[in-house]
Every structure is written in structure tokens, then in C-alpha cells.
């Protein structure tokens, strides 16, 4: 008999967001290789440390977000709109980035929060 095998390409961000939404998680954190979200990635002074899901949608719809950050931010806003309290985008190259984001006032990445 012949056996068929199938390969699937599953985006880890999609999976993490789906699980967080299903669990109504309090927080979801993504560790990436950038500092967080920028209105203009080429202008480091445009760093955004905190924004609401609606503000994130405005950036997306305004064409400010591109590349690999676009699907990530779409997932983040969908998770927040679907019950996850807050989503963090953090630079995983920074030692202790998760602790710094959660336990300091300013944090080190971008937090997407409910409206």
C-alpha cells in the first residue's frame, strides 16, 4: 500500500495567538529580533512602547507597518480584541527582556492593550 504524507507550514505566531485567545490568557509575549514596534522602522525615535488595538489598526490601515511585523501585529490585535488582556512584542536578544517588560514602568518592548 502507498502512504501519503503531508507537510504543513504553521506560523508559530498564529498558533500562539489562537491558543492565547482560546485560553483567554492574561498576557501573551512574542520574543523577536527587533526592539518592538516603530511607526517608521528607519526612524528609531518613532518607537512605540504602548498602544491600543485600535491604534495598532490605524497604523496597519495607514500603511505604516510592513514586512514580518504586519502579520505579527495583526495577530496581536486580534488576540487583544478576542479577550487577551495584553500582548507584548519584545527583543529576545535583551537579557531578561520579559522581566524588564512586565516588572518595570516603561518596559523594553511594545505592549498592545485593550481599548
Amino acid at each position: 500500500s502507498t502512504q501519503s504524507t503531508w507537510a504543513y507550514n504553521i506560523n508559530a505566531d498564529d498558533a500562539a495567538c489562537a491558543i492565547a485567545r482560546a485560553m483567554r490568557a492574561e498576557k501573551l509575549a512574542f520574543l523577536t529580533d527587533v526592539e518592538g514596534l516603530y511607526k517608521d522602522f528607519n526612524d528609531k525615535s518613532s518607537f512605540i512602547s504602548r498602544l491600543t488595538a485600535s491604534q495598532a489598526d490605524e497604523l496597519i490601515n495607514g500603511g505604516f507597518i510592513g514586512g514580518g511585523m504586519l502579520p505579527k501585529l495583526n495577530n496581536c490585535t486580534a488576540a487583544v480584541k478576542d479577550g487577551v488582556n495584553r500582548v507584548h512584542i519584545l527583543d529576545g536578544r535583551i537579557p531578561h527582556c520579559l522581566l524588564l517588560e512586565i516588572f518595570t514602568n516603561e518596559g523594553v518592548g511594545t505592549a498592545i492593550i485593550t481599548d
Side-chain angles (χ1 to χ4, degrees), residues 25-71:
E26 180 70 20
K27 293 183 187 337
L28 173 63
F30 289 102
L31 302 185
T32 186
D33 62 351
V34 295
E35 295 83 3
L37 188 64
Y38 292 89
K39 186 171 184 180
D40 176 359
F41 189 73
N42 295 316
D43 177 7
K44 298 303 180 190
S45 70
S46 71
F47 181 76
I48 302 169
S49 62
R50 183 166 299 182
L51 74 164
T52 66
S54 293
Q55 290 169 326
D57 283 339
E58 289 174 15
L59 290 175
I60 292 167
N61 294 332
F64 293 100
I65 308 302
M69 190 56 75
L70 183 58

Side-chain angles (χ1 to χ4, degrees), residues 62-111:
F64 293 100
I65 308 302
M69 190 56 75
L70 183 58
K72 186 179 298 296
L73 189 56
N74 277 322
N75 273 322
C76 292
T77 57
V80 168
K81 290 175 185 176
D82 205 18
V84 176
N85 189 46
R86 93 179 29 218
V87 179
H88 302 269
I89 300 173
L90 305 172
D91 186 345
R93 302 169 298 179
I94 298 173
H96 313 294
C97 63
L98 192 56
L99 294 173
L100 292 168
E101 178 69 13
I102 293 174
F103 294 115
T104 62
N105 289 332
E106 291 301 313
V108 295
T110 298

